[in-house]
Structures are given as structure tokens and as C-alpha cells.
Amino acid sequence: MYRLWVCGCCGALRPRYKRLVDNIFPEDPEDGLVKANMEKLTFYALSAPEKLDRIGAYLSERLSRDVARHRYGYVCIAMEALDQLLMACHCQSINLFVESFLKMVRKLLEADKPNLQILGTNSFVKFANIEEDTASYHRSYDFFVSRFSEMCHSSYEDPDIRTKIRMAGINGLQGVVRKTVNDDLQSNIWDPQHMDKIVPSLLFNLQSGEGTESRSPSPLQASEKEKESPAELTERCFRELLGRAAYGNIKNAVTPVLMHLDNHSLWEGKTFAVRCFKIIMYSIQSQHSHLVIQQLLGHLDANSKNSATVRAGIVEVLLEAAAIASSGSVGPTVLEVFNTLLRQLRLSVDYELTGSYDASGNIGIKIIKTHEERQLQEAVIRTIGSFANTLPTYQRSEVMLFIMGKIPVPGVHPALTNAGSGGCEGTRMIQIMLLKSLVQVTTGFQTTNMLTALPNSFLEPLLSFSLMEDPEVRLLVLTILLSVIDRHDNTPKFSSISIISDISVLKLKVDKCSRQDNLFMKKHAQQLYRHIYLACKEQSSGPQHFETLYTLLALISMELANEEVVVDLIRLALALQELAQTNEESLSVYNRCAVHALSAAYLNLICQLTTVPTFCQHIHEVIEMRQKEVPFLLPEDVFIENPKLPASLEKLEGDVLFQQSKITEVLGGSGYNTDRLATPYIPQFTDEDRLSKRKSIGETISLQVEVESRNSPEKEERTPAEEITFETLKNAIVDSVGMEEQERERRRQVVEKFQKAPFEEIAAHCGARNTFPMFSLSALPRPPPSPSGTISSGYGQTQSRSVPVYEMKFPDLCVY
């Protein structure tokens, strides 16, 4: 009796908060939390917030004891009570209570029982969703990052429990991010020490659901079953993490992704890598997209000596990233992006030609596979086009010039990286690859000013490539011209050459030629005509070349034509007919018939564009006559799989040819310039025409230097080149010394004469020689010479080259 009284007395003396805490636990844990007593405890905590830390400490003490005694029912009750107190109490004293709470959660996460780990995680997630009024200076979440990351990699035997543990770990990481990302007083969750644990853990679970492709920027429409999968939960968590990343944190978030893909060889498959970066690009703020792209470019450079499949995987990811990125998101280093891609293209060609490369690490020499390098090259070219599509017009023009400057020219640009890579073939491959890149960049290119779209610095080297012997290079050049000139998407309507009886069915889009277009044609028209003419003289031209030339002529007629241009184009078409007729270049029968067919198809088109009935009548009469007598001069019989050609093509006469005189007559009656029409087109031949059969542009450089030196004024006075020997050089040095002494003596005498001779003698000397009339205009300095050596003053007319001041011959008395 005495003992009972002592116990009751001691119980009554216990602090009230302990009694209130004890009362929430029932005798049988199966009964759950005593709700009435829990309400009393909550009311007490709200009334006396200074007691919260003691309540938390006592609950933590009870929970630790119950965990040690395996009384898991009471553990669940203690955590439920803690959760309710956290949700109810938002005051300044909660920080002290949180320490006890986190200590209890940590205790549960350290337990071996999966249910306790899940219970602790759930409580932590509820806590993470609470917005605290005051920040904590001393709270640390390092343990939780490590423990939740470990749970994400759980390998528990039971698959159902394993899935639950992994999902708990993902939820826990999401809670840590939410709790710390906006708290400046916490340790930075974006530090590499944390990101290197969080991101790989998420990617590990994301990879387990690789079969489900990311369908949209935000998977809000996922079914309930999908939401329960670790992969789907991971994707939502990963998106939230990236969405909270600020400008300075993007790198730390993306670097672990790159390392994970490297360590687990996930670039080769490309599917998972692409999926990861789709999530990244859709989740981060759009203005930060270029940071991801720059990291991928840097990673591509770092893997330059890795296998082609790895590099191709990174390039494919770049392609997808560029497609998602908004306009202009490549960032300020636009040219660096293309420089990196072009460098990889050049390296790939070098590897393909050499057949091996030094692999990364200590592996040594690794043999490459040609087809893998080809796939990489195509991927790089597609990626260049994808990047270009994100750029505004002015930046795309800069990229076009940049790529053009990268095309290797032997003797000007350095050779390929490896000296043994086969110079000519390597140069040719690089030229083709870079021209293909230009095709990608110019595809869809829209400009209102052709002068800025095709400046001299771009157009002249591009047209120079059109004279190369390689037919693939010439075709690429023509394709680039089509892309730039076509501003109304008319190119597909001329995909094949044919005689169209009524062009209205094509529904062509034609705008009036603007002032800028007129200036462009005034400046560059003769260049374009000349290269079209020379392209038709190439023996290696095939059906594709002639179809592209036809499209080019048609686009010039619709995009850049005024009356003068129309006349020149008609004259050009007639000149092509004459080219095939006279056959000075000894073209094959097919090429001659193809040129005739090209001329006929274009004249049929231009006559309908001019809408002059008599002109159309003449063209149609000739076409009808050809259909009856010489169908092999029309495109329908030439540009087919098995062209119907004669064994030889004799000189044609009569009604099967388009008559220049007839066309001049009918167009002159409609107001066209009859003088121009009556003058046959003669291309402005230049020194470059001698190179039309060259194999590389490198020959252009040496031959142009040779031609310029041959045309220089000094050349006329030079003696033929003689063999240079040691004696020759020795004599030249001795002679030059003697000449200098004579010149010095002569000048001394002239000066002495002017100083000492009387004025009458000097005047008489000048009058006698009459070598320097003081008021003769011919002695005045003339303008400096034009760069080409001649100044064009009309169609084929030139005026003589002016003599620069330093080349003029002055009288002796004028030289001091």
C-alpha cells in the first residue's frame, strides 16, 4: 500500500508535458494514437511553445527505446504524433523541435527494417513540405542525402519491397531538395558532393524504366499505375530538381549526368542519353539552354579520341538539344559551337583515312570502323543544320561565311592532322563534308536582301568550287545557291526538267524584284551566268546537275529578274544551245542532248513568264518540231533512266533550233532592248576559266599567281627565265653593288648641277630635253589599278590598266 502511494505520488510530480506525451500511447499499440489526448498535447504545445523542444526530446527518447525493444507499433504512434505536432506548430521555437524530429527520422532510416525506413522517409517528406518562418543556421542534411541515395540503389531480395524502398529514397531526395534549395543558410545542395550522389541515384532509377519514352515536357497525363513506378517518380523528381536550378547551378547538375553516361557506356545506345537530355532541356529555364549545349560541346571535345559510337551518341544528343532549344539559345559563342562541330568533322575524316587513332587512356592504338565514322560525320552535319535553324538570319549569314572559310584549300589551309592521311583524298572529303554542312545551314534560309545573304566574300569562293572536276562538289555548290536564292519555296516545283505547257498549274510565287535585288544582279549577274555556262561544259555532269541548273535558272527568273535580267537569261539559254551545237568542248552525245534539253525547258518557262504571245508561239513551234523529228533534244527523252539517244549527234539546222533573230524580233516589238537581244551572249572569260578541269581549288591559287605575274607591266620587260646557279647569284650581288654606286654618283651630280649651275643653263637644259612639260595632264598621277588588272566598262569591253605612281618614269631632274 505504501509502495503504490509512492508511485502515484511520483507520477503526479512528473512534468506535465511528459504526462501528456505518455497519455497519447495506448496500452495496446494496435489501437493506434489516442486522439483525444493528442489534441490535449497539441493544445499544450501551441499554448507553451517553449516546451516544444522538451516534448520532442522526450518523444525521441521513447522512440529510441521502442526501436531497441522492437515495439514497432509504438514507433509508428510516436512518428504520427511528431507529424501532427509539426503540422500544427508554426512558430519560432520549432527549430529546436525539428532537431529532435530529425534525430528520430535518422534513427528510423538507420534501422534494418524496410518498413521503418519507409516510415521515416514519409515523415521527412511531410516535414520538407512545411515552410518554416525562420531559417536554421546549424541544421545539416548530409546524412539524409547519402541515406536516400543509398535507398535509391536498394537491392532487397523481394522485388515489391525493393521497389518501395527505392521510391522512398526518390521521395526523400525530392524532400531534401525542396527543403534546402531556397534556404541560403543551408549547405548548398548544388555542390558537387551532393549532386554526385543525387543525380546518379535518379538516373539509375530512370534507366530502369527506359522503355517508356518521355512523351512531353511535363508528364501530367500519366496513368495512376505509371505514377507508382520508380521511373516515373524519378522523372518528376529530376524535372523538379532541374527546374529549380539557377544560372550558376546548371553545370553542377549536368556534369554528373555526363559522368554517369560515360561510366555506364550509355552513349552508344543513344536512346537513354537522348531521353535524359530531353528531360533536361524541357525542365531548365529556356534562357539557360545554351549552358547545357556548351557542356555537351566540351564533353565532345574531351572524347575526341573515344570510339566513333560514343562521339556519335554525344552528337545525337546535341542534335536533340538544339531542336528543343529556343531561338538564339546557343548563346553568345555561336561560332565556337560550329567550330567545335567542324573540328570533330575534320578529326573523323582524319581517323577514317588513317584507319586508327590513339585511344584515350592506356589502351594504345585502336582500329576504327569506316561505317561508324561515316555515321558520325552524317550526325555532325545534321547537328550543324539543327543549330543553324535556331539562329536568326544575320547570325546564320555569319555561320555561312565561317564555314566557307574553313573549307581547306591546298597551299593555303594546313593539311589534315596526320601527314599520312592522304592529302588529296583527305582534302576532297573535307571539302565535301563542309559543303554538306553549308547545305544544312542554308536550308530554309530566308533573307530580304541578297547583297547581305551572298556577299563577295561568300559568293566568289563558292562559285570557284563550281568549277572543280568533282561532280559531287559542283552539285553541292548548286544546291547551296538554290537554298539561298529561293525565298518563296519554289524549288520543289522544279524538281525535274520537263516541258510544261501551262506553268499556272505550278502555282508559282513571284514577287516584284526589289531595289536590293536589282543591285545584287547588277553586281553579280555576269558571275552567275558565266558559272552556269561553264557548268554545262563539264563532261562529268549528270542528270542531277542539269536538273539543278534548270532550277537555278528558274529561281533567278522569279526571284531576281527585271527586264535586263530576262534578256540576259534568254541570251544565256541561246548560248547554251550554241555550245551544244558547235561542241567545241568535245562533249559526249548525252551531255550535248542534255544541254539542248535544258535550253528548251528553260526557254519554255521564260516565254510563259514574259507573257509575250509571239515569243511563246516561236518556242512552242520549235518544241513541237523537236517532238516530231528529234525528241532526244527534249528533257522527256533525255532525263530518264534509259535515255533514248542517237549514236552520234550531227550539226542541227532549221526549225528544230531556237532562232536568235526571231526571238529578237518578237521581243523587240514588246519593248525589250533589241540591241542586247541581237548580241549573242559571250561569257566574260577570265583566267579562272583555264581551271575548269582542275581537280582542286589549290591549283587556282598557283595559276592565278602565275597569270597575274604574266600580265604585270614588268613582265613585258623581263627576259625569259634562266637557270639559277651559284655563279648567277654571285654575279647578281656584285652587279647590284656596282649599280648602287653608279646611281649614287649620278644623283650627286644632279644635285651639284642644281646647286652651282646658273639659272639660264638649267632652263636651257630643260627646254632642250622637253621631257617634263609642267602643264601636261598626261604627267599627272592616275588612279590606282583595279584588283583584276582591267576595268570593265561594258559587256566584254575593257579599258587599259592605269599605271600606279610607283611605276611611273620621271625625268632625272625630278628625282632628288
Side-chain angles (χ1 to χ4, degrees):
M1 190 69 182
Y2 175 76
R3 185 177 300 169
L4 288 175
W5 179 85
V6 171
C7 291
C9 178
C10 291
L13 294 175
R14 297 184 68 195
R16 186 182 177 192
Y17 73 90
K18 286 190 176 182
R19 283 182 281 137
L20 290 173
V21 170
D22 290 338
N23 291 339
I24 66 175
F25 291 93
E27 293 183 3
D28 186 359
E30 296 294 332
D31 295 338
L33 184 68
V34 180
K35 294 183 179 180
N37 293 336
M38 186 64 217
E39 291 176 0
K40 294 179 182 178
L41 177 61
T42 303
F43 180 77
Y44 176 77
L46 290 171
S47 303
E50 68 278 2
K51 300 290 186 180
L52 260 177
D53 57 328
R54 299 184 184 183
I55 294 173
Y58 185 58
L59 274 171
S60 176
E61 180 185 336
R62 286 203 55 152
L63 182 134
S64 299
R65 186 169 62 245
D66 292 336
V67 168
R69 296 175 180 178
H70 305 291
R71 298 166 64 179
Y72 300 124
Y74 287 123
V75 171
C76 294
I77 292 173
M79 292 308 301
E80 185 178 354
L82 278 170
D83 293 342
Q84 290 192 26
L85 287 173
L86 275 173
M87 300 301 292
C89 302
H90 292 283
C91 62
Q92 295 180 356
S93 302
I94 197 173
N95 273 332
L96 300 175
F97 175 69
V98 167
E99 294 304 321
S100 300
F101 169 79
L102 292 178
K103 183 179 178 182
M104 296 168 69
V105 171
R106 181 170 182 163
K107 189 74 176 179
L108 294 180
L109 294 177
E110 289 173 341
D112 295 332
K113 297 289 182 180
N115 291 338
L116 294 183
Q117 297 173 12
I118 295 170
L119 178 65
T121 303
N122 292 338
S123 293
F124 182 84
V125 171
K126 292 177 183 177
F127 160 69
N129 291 327
I130 296 175
E131 293 185 8
E132 299 182 51
D133 296 333
T134 56
S136 172
Y137 292 87
H138 55 282
R139 199 180 301 162
S140 174
Y141 296 97
D142 292 359
F143 166 78
F144 297 99
V145 171
S146 300
R147 183 56 183 155
F148 289 138
S149 298
E150 185 181 344
M151 290 169 64
C152 289
H153 292 84
S154 173
S155 57
Y156 201 84
E157 295 179 359
D158 189 330
D160 292 334
I161 297 177
R162 181 170 65 242
T163 298
K164 290 180 180 179
I165 294 174
R166 289 184 179 182
M167 292 182 68
I170 297 166
N171 279 321
L173 289 177
Q174 188 177 31
V176 172
V177 172
R178 287 178 179 176
K179 199 65 183 172
T180 59
V181 73
N182 293 322
D183 192 346
D184 295 335
L185 299 176
Q186 292 298 329
S187 60
N188 192 353
I189 197 66
W190 301 106
D191 285 345
Q193 60 178 344
H194 299 309
M195 286 290 107
D196 289 347
K197 297 175 183 177
I198 294 174
V199 173
S201 301
L202 297 177
L203 295 180
F204 174 77
N205 287 277
L206 188 65
Q207 190 179 353
S208 64
E210 190 176 350
T212 59
E213 180 68 21
S214 180
R215 298 169 303 283
S216 65
S218 181
L220 298 177
Q221 293 80 22
S223 65
E224 291 298 324
K225 185 176 181 180
E226 285 177 324
K227 286 183 179 180
E228 295 300 318
S229 70
E232 198 66 27
L233 179 62
T234 299
E235 184 170 338
R236 290 200 302 274
C237 180
F238 195 32
R239 287 179 184 277
E240 182 177 342
L241 173 68
L242 296 165
R244 294 174 179 269
Y247 180 87
N249 302 325
I250 295 292
K251 182 177 180 180
N252 289 346
V254 175
T255 299
V257 178
L258 299 174
M259 299 305 298
H260 182 83
L261 296 175
D262 285 343
N263 295 335
H264 298 276
S265 302
L266 296 174
W267 292 112
E268 287 89 339
K270 292 184 284 191
T271 306
F272 180 69
V274 168
R275 184 185 178 195
C276 286
F277 277 90
K278 276 186 175 180
I279 294 173
I280 292 172
M281 296 303 292
Y282 280 127
S283 302
I284 62 175
Q285 300 175 45
S286 59
Q287 66 268 28
H288 300 158
S289 298
H290 69 278
L291 296 175
V292 179
I293 291 172
Q294 286 175 0
Q295 275 193 268
L296 282 168
L297 289 168
H299 200 66
L300 180 60
D301 271 343
N303 283 272
S304 293
K305 292 188 177 181
N306 215 323
S307 66
T309 51
V310 170
R311 285 177 281 137
I314 301 173
V315 171
E316 288 287 346
V317 170
L318 269 168
L319 177 63
E320 295 292 337
I324 296 171
S326 58
S327 178
S329 66
V330 178
T333 57
V334 175
L335 296 182
E336 186 57 35
V337 171
F338 292 93
N339 192 34
T340 300
L341 293 172
L342 295 178
R343 183 166 58 249
Q344 292 300 320
L345 196 60
R346 191 181 184 95
L347 280 173
S348 178
V349 171
D350 195 11
Y351 294 157
E352 180 183 344
L353 291 169
T354 55
S356 63
Y357 56 85
D358 294 330
S360 56
N362 298 320
I363 303 175
I365 301 297
K366 186 172 181 180
I367 306 301
I368 63 99
K369 298 178 181 178
T370 301
H371 71 279
E372 291 180 351
E373 293 294 339
R374 289 289 173 90
Q375 291 173 357
L376 168 64
Q377 292 159 16
E378 294 300 323
V380 171
I381 290 171
R382 290 197 308 273
T383 305
I384 287 173
S386 182
F387 272 112
N389 289 333
T390 67
L391 298 176
T393 302
Y394 75 94
Q395 280 189 324
R396 202 186 291 202
S397 298
E398 291 178 1
V399 171
M400 289 161 55
L401 283 170
F402 181 74
I403 297 176
M404 179 59 70
K406 289 285 184 178
I407 300 179
V409 178
V412 178
H413 288 268
L416 292 178
T417 307
N418 195 320
S421 59
C424 292
E425 180 60 19
T427 299
R428 175 188 167 276
M429 289 179 63
I430 285 291
Q431 289 169 347
I432 289 175
M433 293 298 170
L434 294 182
L435 287 172
K436 284 183 176 179
S437 301
L438 269 177
V439 170
Q440 290 289 328
V441 172
T442 55
T443 299
F445 182 67
Q446 295 290 334
T447 180
T448 56
N449 190 342
M450 292 302 298
L451 282 170
T452 56
L454 290 174
N456 275 338
S457 54
F458 180 80
L459 184 61
E460 289 184 2
L462 181 67
L463 291 178
S464 295
F465 278 103
S466 71
L467 298 179
M468 290 185 65
E469 186 180 7
D470 194 317
E472 187 176 0
V473 170
R474 297 202 308 273
L475 187 60
L476 289 169
V477 169
L478 293 173
T479 305
I480 292 166
L481 283 174
L482 293 184
S483 298
V484 178
I485 293 175
D486 185 14
R487 292 172 290 186
H488 296 89
D489 299 323
N490 286 318
T491 298
K493 300 168 185 176
F494 300 104
S495 57
S496 61
I497 307 180
S498 61
I499 302 298
I500 305 168
S501 57
D502 184 7
I503 63 170
S504 61
V505 298
L506 297 178
K507 298 180 180 178
L508 300 173
K509 300 175 184 176
V510 184
D511 282 347
K512 185 178 179 180
C513 191
S514 66
R515 180 176 175 273
Q516 290 85 358
D517 293 341
N518 287 332
L519 290 173
F520 173 80
M521 291 305 289
K522 190 173 182 179
K523 187 175 183 181
H524 298 296
Q526 297 304 320
Q527 282 180 289
L528 292 172
Y529 304 153
R530 178 171 157 275
H531 283 81
I532 292 172
Y533 183 87
L534 294 176
C536 292
K537 293 168 62 174
E538 295 288 346
Q539 287 278 9
S540 57
S541 293
Q544 277 189 296
H545 293 83
F546 291 107
E547 289 171 359
T548 312
L549 286 168
Y550 171 69
T551 307
L552 180 58
L553 285 167
L555 290 178
I556 293 175
S557 305
M558 289 179 295
E559 296 282 353
L560 303 168
N562 52 33
E563 182 179 319
E564 183 179 335
V565 172
V566 169
V567 170
D568 282 338
L569 289 171
I570 294 172
R571 292 168 62 227
L572 174 61
L574 293 171
L576 292 177
Q577 176 183 261
E578 185 66 19
L579 169 67
Q581 178 78 342
T582 57
N583 195 26
E584 293 178 358
E585 300 293 325
S586 301
L587 297 174
S588 64
V589 173
Y590 174 81
N591 284 60
R592 292 177 66 190
C593 292
V595 174
H596 272 297
L598 169 64
S599 178
Y602 178 66
L603 285 172
N604 173 70
L605 174 69
I606 195 70
C607 76
Q608 297 182 62
L609 288 174
T610 56
T611 63
V612 178
T614 51
F615 182 30
C616 295
Q617 182 181 354
H618 171 67
I619 301 300
H620 292 157
E621 287 174 357
V622 175
I623 290 173
E624 289 174 5
M625 187 61 66
R626 286 190 179 187
Q627 288 171 343
K628 294 176 183 178
E629 299 183 7
V630 283
F632 49 81
L633 299 186
L634 294 175
E636 284 75 11
D637 278 21
V638 177
F639 303 110
I640 55 177
E641 188 172 350
N642 297 309
K644 305 170 184 178
L645 304 177
S648 62
L649 190 62
E650 301 298 331
K651 189 168 183 178
L652 303 169
E653 295 179 354
D655 297 336
V656 296
L657 295 177
F658 302 100
Q659 302 297 327
Q660 176 128 4
S661 58
K662 180 68 174 176
I663 294 174
T664 302
E665 179 186 345
V666 295
L667 287 179
S670 299
Y672 287 86
N673 189 330
T674 54
D675 294 336
R676 302 270 315 276
L677 282 167
T679 306
Y681 171 76
I682 300 175
Q684 294 183 351
F685 286 98
T686 66
D687 303 323
E688 194 180 22
D689 294 331
R690 300 175 57 245
L691 316 173
S692 59
K693 298 295 181 185
R694 68 187 182 280
K695 292 184 179 180
S696 75
I697 285 195
E699 300 171 25
T700 308
I701 308 302
S702 59
L703 286 174
Q704 281 178 343
V705 170
E706 178 187 344
V707 169
E708 288 175 2
S709 62
R710 185 175 297 145
N711 292 339
S712 63
E714 297 88 349
K715 186 67 181 179
E716 299 172 1
E717 302 173 7
R718 284 183 197 151
T719 58
E722 59 180 342
E723 184 180 358
I724 298 176
T725 63
F726 174 76
E727 289 298 327
T728 307
L729 294 174
K730 181 179 178 181
N731 293 334
I733 294 172
V734 173
D735 291 345
S736 64
V737 173
M739 290 291 292
E740 287 179 4
E741 291 179 354
Q742 294 177 11
E743 182 68 17
R744 194 179 300 112
E745 177 63 23
R746 187 183 63 80
R747 292 193 179 207
R748 189 190 63 78
Q749 292 175 359
V750 171
V751 171
E752 186 177 353
K753 179 184 290 187
F754 272 90
Q755 288 176 343
K756 298 180 179 179
F759 176 77
E760 292 77 7
E761 183 181 342
I762 296 173
H765 178 75
C766 291
R769 295 187 61 179
N770 194 23
T771 56
F772 186 60
M774 298 299 292
F775 301 102
S776 173
L777 294 177
S778 61
L780 294 177
R782 280 172 275 185
S786 63
S788 62
T790 59
I791 303 175
S792 299
S793 60
Y795 297 95
Q797 300 178 359
T798 58
Q799 62 188 65
S800 60
R801 173 175 173 173
S802 58
V803 180
V805 175
Y806 58 83
E807 293 181 4
M808 292 180 182
K809 305 299 182 182
F810 289 97
D812 294 341
L813 295 178
C814 293
V815 180
Y816 179 74

